[in-house]
Amino acid sequence: MSKTTTSLLVQGYEVVIGFETHAQLATQSKIFSRAATAFGAEPNTQACAVDLALPGTLPVMNREAVACAIRFGLAVGSHVAERSVFARKNYFYPDLPKGYQISQFEIPVVQGGAVSFFLGDEKKTVRLVRAHLEEDAGKSLHEDFIGQSGIDLNRAGTPLLEIVTEPDIRSSAEAVAYAKELHKIVTWIGICDGNMQEGSFRCDANVSVRKPGQPLGTRREIKNLNSFKFMQQAIDYEVRWQIEQIEDGHAIQQATVLFDPDSGETRAMRTKEDAADYRYFPDPDLPPLVIARDWVAQVQAAMPELPRAMAERFVAQYGLPEYDATTLTQSPAMAAYFETAAQASGQAKMASNWVMGEVSRRLNAEERGIAEAPVSAAQLGALLQRIADGTVSNNAAKQVMDALWSGEGASGQVQDARAQIDAVIEAKGLKQVSDSGAIEKIIDEVMAANAEMVAQFRAGKDKAFNALVGQVMKASKGKANPQQVNDLLRQKLG
């Protein structure tokens, strides 16, 4: 167990959670056949003779699935095994035509490693036991048939990477933070599309409770958690249920349970099998998987900068707070957008604030990703430059953003981002007045018209100063440079 993990007690009990996550690998074909893996096809239209387990068929390893496993191993600091073995995991299920699933048991392809993430300000690390390659089973369909079930074998043979942790997680919040970080890693390195609704990223949580210092309790496995919201609800319910059972004098039985989002409860599906129940043995149709070290080196050379490393660089290079750096590295697209805007403007913190604020707010309202933002990163950078050099105020810049977002000023006649921004500022008359002579004239007029406020300020009432600043800004229609207004007004008030 992790010695660095801080325990949070629930009703005097320590919560212990381990995770098993199935990430569907982003290959064009299945792990042991050439059948397609695209989602949403008509039932049984993407299942070939190998997937159907017809007599005489033999599995052939998909090289790209192995490359995906290597990428993952490198991303989480694991050992990529020089030699790993495929096994037959034997069990009966109607959507498993062979009567066994090809998986890895004793020698997995990825061994060890860790996933680190922040929960609030606290850094957490969850150790990994392994990640192994396996094939998915088909799917039983119940809702379209009265008193019967249909079998769709489109998923049979879909390549999966099963990622297994040590029991290092101590709360539902920590579990969700781990799952989100893992989701970010597999999508960032391009091995999984991460679509939880389509089943591309499915989590199983092994949950148990114990009194502090006691041996591990009996775990129950919550299967197929396909949203972060349901994940937290399911774990919280399961923890409360187990504590109530123990307090009432009942022993916890090892079981596989499902979460019902409608009732918010978990319910037992079957007693939990142990490894011995599956009668694993090496698959005689597949030789050991041997991975040359130069292949690992080639994959390493092509790896992108990882999110945690990029966040640390953003802190060091741009002076960003840890929170900003972590938020901006949620996806490669967001990180690239920020970095382009920061470099174009020379205003890293301002770029961070705008990407996390104005840009994200608008995208969220329209349910769009940052790749679909109507305002380019270069345009944002040019706009931030104009705030920094005093051409426009922050409020005026938001009006420029409104115009660009709705398609104004994005004409193909003006290609340069800075020229586009300047054209919108000019067209809308948003240029900030920084001419001290012009500002002084407005201040003189405001002071003459508000003699009582001037007297109040000189009598020691600071609120009157803010009121006078407001009057000057109003008289200038918001165009006066606020800092200059403050400085010149204080001079004139003595």
Side-chain angles (χ1 to χ4, degrees), residues 39 139 155 183 193-202 225-230:
F39 180 81
K139 188 175 181 183
R155 285 195 70 88
H183 184 272
D193 67 19
N195 192 317
M196 297 179 80
Q197 289 73 31
E198 294 179 1
S200 299
F201 187 87
R202 316 192 296 270
L225 296 167
N226 64 356
S227 90
F228 298 122
K229 178 184 172 185
F230 293 158

Side-chain angles (χ1 to χ4, degrees), residues 91-99 137-140 142 151 269-270:
Y91 62 95
F92 171 78
Y93 214 66
D95 53 25
L96 192 69
K98 292 193 291 284
K139 188 175 181 183
S140 297
H142 312 292
I151 303 294
M269 184 170 67
R270 59 176 184 264

Side-chain angles (χ1 to χ4, degrees), residues 316-344:
Q317 183 176 340
Y318 298 111
L320 295 183
E322 181 70 51
Y323 175 83
D324 290 33
T326 302
T327 303
L328 293 167
T329 51
Q330 290 306 304
S331 71
M334 177 177 264
Y337 190 98
F338 156 75
E339 197 152 23
T340 300
Q343 290 174 356

Side-chain angles (χ1 to χ4, degrees), residues 351-428:
S352 171
N353 292 345
W354 273 71
V355 173
M356 294 191 303
E358 282 297 309
V359 175
S360 292
R361 180 180 63 76
R362 293 162 192 265
L363 290 171
N364 291 339
E366 297 170 13
E367 297 184 345
R368 291 206 266 187
I370 201 158
E372 302 168 87
V375 176
S376 71
Q379 287 175 319
L380 176 62
L383 178 57
L384 300 183
Q385 260 190 324
R386 289 295 175 247
I387 299 173
D389 67 18
T391 302
V392 291
S393 66
N394 210 55
N395 283 336
K398 289 178 183 176
Q399 294 178 55
V400 176
M401 177 67 92
D402 285 334
L404 291 169
W405 203 271
S406 60
E408 293 180 53
S411 132
Q413 299 169 1
V414 185
Q415 296 300 325
D416 179 67
R418 194 175 302 174
Q420 288 179 335
I421 297 300
D422 289 344
V424 174
I425 292 170
E426 194 65 41
K428 293 201 164 289

Side-chain angles (χ1 to χ4, degrees), residues 67-106:
C68 288
I70 296 172
R71 281 206 292 280
F72 179 76
L74 292 171
V76 294
S78 306
H79 170 64
V80 177
E82 291 88 346
R83 179 182 179 278
S84 60
V85 176
F86 283 97
R88 292 184 178 182
K89 179 181 180 181
N90 294 272
Y91 62 95
F92 171 78
Y93 214 66
D95 53 25
L96 192 69
K98 292 193 291 284
Y100 61 85
Q101 178 189 24
I102 300 176
S103 183
Q104 292 187 312
F105 180 52
E106 290 178 324

